[in-house]
């Protein structure tokens, strides 16, 4: 026990020395009392103050294009028919490196809508003794078509135009969307769908669970694909409609309306016919259980 306590004390002292060295470096340029030096130009305080953005008139069905790979993007409907962009990013602390300030959002009125973008800040040094929260909030007309080309997660709600969302690293939550085409793709994070109605649906994640509650596939020949590379999948229909549903898991069970199917070989596949099939839905996962309820449709 004395040795363990002594080790903790040594670590705490080392941390205090490191902090003191940082402080000396900031005030005097170098700190050599501990046998090392820090260039004050490499370690510097940073902060970020987002510029305000005036609302934009872009019509009732604008194309909203967004690319901000390091921010979580939140899209809601506006009450005045305008496009409102708010940069909720906050940064404070010290950065080790030679990079400059986090760039401001660039907002451009295009021929068919609005373009919102910011370059990645991943190569802008190492943030120490501080915090960063990158978040962009955008309110748009309900009829907007939305394309999030890059993000670190997204929340999208109450749109009637097409929705296409890509997240490099972060969850996606879509709710109250009624559109012809809905595509939600996360490379790392769960995908949650609440009250989504679409003729063509894609919801995939490379790593994370997928939950679809109150799902409707609409139109004369609806088509859907829901896939997780690593995680469980649950699909609960508000109206199962007329579909052929193919479910497949490489390691897990398939549970349809409370009835479970499994295989001694781990991989399980099942096809369900709902109503008079006019469309199809593929549901799959590489590792996890698939649960589906059809709201009484058999």
């Amino acid at each position: 026990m004395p040795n363990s306590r002594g080790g903790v004390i040594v670590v705490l002292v080392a941390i205090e020395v490191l902090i003191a060295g940082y402080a000396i470096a900031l005030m005097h340029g170098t700190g050599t009392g501990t046998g090392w030096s820090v260039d004050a130009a490499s370690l510097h305080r940073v902060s970020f103050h987002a510029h305000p953005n005036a609302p934009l008139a872009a019509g009732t069905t604008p194309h909203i294009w967004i690319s901000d790979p390091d921010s979580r993007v939140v899209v809601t409907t506006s009450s005045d028919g305008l496009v409102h962009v708010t940069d909720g990013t906050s940064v404070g602390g010290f950065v080790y490196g030679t990079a400059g300030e986090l760039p401001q959002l660039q907002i451009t009125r295009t021929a068919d809508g609005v373009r919102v973008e910011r370059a990645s800040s991943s190569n802008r040094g190492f943030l120490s003794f501080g915090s960063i929260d990158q978040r962009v909030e955008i309110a748009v007309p309900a009829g907007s078509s939305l394309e999030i080309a890059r993000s670190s997660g997204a929340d999208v709600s109450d749109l009637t135009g097409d929705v296409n969302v890509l997240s490099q690293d972060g969850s996606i939550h879509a709710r109250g969307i009624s559109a012809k085409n809905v595509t939600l793709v996360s490379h790392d994070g769960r995908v949650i769908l609440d009250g989504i109605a679409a003729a063509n649906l894609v919801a995939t994640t490379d790593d994370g669970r997928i939950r679809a509650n109150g799902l409707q596939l609409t139109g004369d020949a609806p088509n859907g694909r829901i896939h997780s590379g690593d995680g469980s999948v649950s699909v609960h229909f508000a109206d199962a409609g007329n579909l052929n549903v193919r479910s497949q898991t490489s390691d897990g069970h398939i549970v349809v309306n409370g009835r479970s199917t499994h295989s001694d070989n781990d991989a399980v596949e099942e096809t369900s016919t709902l109503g008079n099939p006019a469309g199809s839905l593929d549901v799959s996962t590489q590792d996890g259980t698939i649960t589906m309820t059809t709201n009484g449709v058999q």
Side-chain angles (χ1 to χ4, degrees):
M1 181 65 68
N3 290 337
S4 298
R5 183 178 180 184
V8 171
I9 293 174
V10 169
V11 171
L12 292 176
V13 170
I15 293 174
E16 290 179 359
V17 170
L18 177 62
I19 295 173
Y22 276 1
I24 292 171
L26 290 174
M27 292 184 293
H28 302 293
T30 60
T32 57
T34 58
W36 49 265
S37 64
V38 176
D39 184 357
S42 295
L43 182 66
H44 55 282
R45 182 185 294 275
V46 294
S47 61
F48 177 81
H49 301 284
H51 293 167
N53 302 294
L56 295 174
T60 59
T61 59
H63 178 214
I64 309 297
W65 187 90
I66 304 165
S67 177
D68 188 346
D70 300 315
S71 293
R72 186 164 191 86
V73 177
V74 180
V75 180
T76 58
T77 56
S78 60
S79 59
D80 58 4
L82 301 178
V83 177
H84 299 258
V85 181
T86 302
D87 189 351
T89 297
S90 62
V91 178
F94 296 94
V95 162
Y96 184 79
T98 58
E101 296 288 334
L102 184 73
Q104 297 285 337
L105 279 175
Q106 301 299 311
I107 303 168
T108 308
R109 177 69 169 89
T110 62
D112 63 348
V114 176
R115 185 181 181 97
V116 180
E117 58 189 319
R118 175 162 47 202
S120 173
S121 58
S122 60
N123 61 346
R124 296 182 179 275
F126 174 74
L127 182 68
S128 179
F129 305 112
S131 63
I132 179 169
D133 179 17
Q134 290 189 230
R135 179 185 178 91
V136 177
E137 299 177 0
I138 304 176
V140 302
S144 301
S145 64
L146 175 68
E147 182 180 356
I148 301 180
R150 294 188 296 173
S151 70
S152 284
D155 298 279
V156 181
S157 59
D158 303 323
L159 298 183
T160 58
D162 289 348
V163 172
N164 190 333
V165 177
L166 174 62
S167 169
Q168 279 75 30
D169 183 9
S171 64
I172 298 174
H173 192 172
R175 61 176 70 83
I177 294 171
S178 179
K180 181 178 180 180
N181 303 298
V182 175
T183 300
L184 311 170
V185 177
S186 174
H187 290 317
D188 186 3
R190 66 183 183 274
V191 178
I192 308 297
L193 301 85
D194 286 321
I196 304 301
N200 301 294
L201 171 70
V202 174
T204 69
T205 176
D206 294 338
D207 186 4
R209 61 188 175 94
I210 298 178
R211 297 288 183 271
N213 300 309
L215 178 65
Q216 298 182 64
L217 291 182
T218 61
D220 295 334
N223 181 68
R225 178 173 180 262
I226 298 175
H227 173 76
S228 172
D230 185 7
S232 62
V233 177
S234 66
V235 180
H236 306 286
F237 289 99
D239 180 358
N242 300 305
L243 293 171
N244 272 322
V245 181
R246 177 176 175 267
S247 304
Q248 183 179 28
T249 175
S250 298
D251 186 5
H253 292 194
I254 296 175
V255 182
V256 180
N257 294 326
R259 179 178 56 83
S260 178
T261 302
H262 66 279
S263 168
D264 293 336
N265 296 324
D266 293 331
V268 185
E269 182 175 334
E270 182 169 314
T271 299
S272 303
T273 301
L274 308 178
N276 299 311
S280 63
L281 171 65
D282 288 335
V283 182
S284 60
T285 176
Q286 292 297 111
D287 185 6
T289 291
I290 295 173
T291 304
M292 183 169 63
T293 57
T294 63
N295 195 28
V297 176
Q298 299 291 337

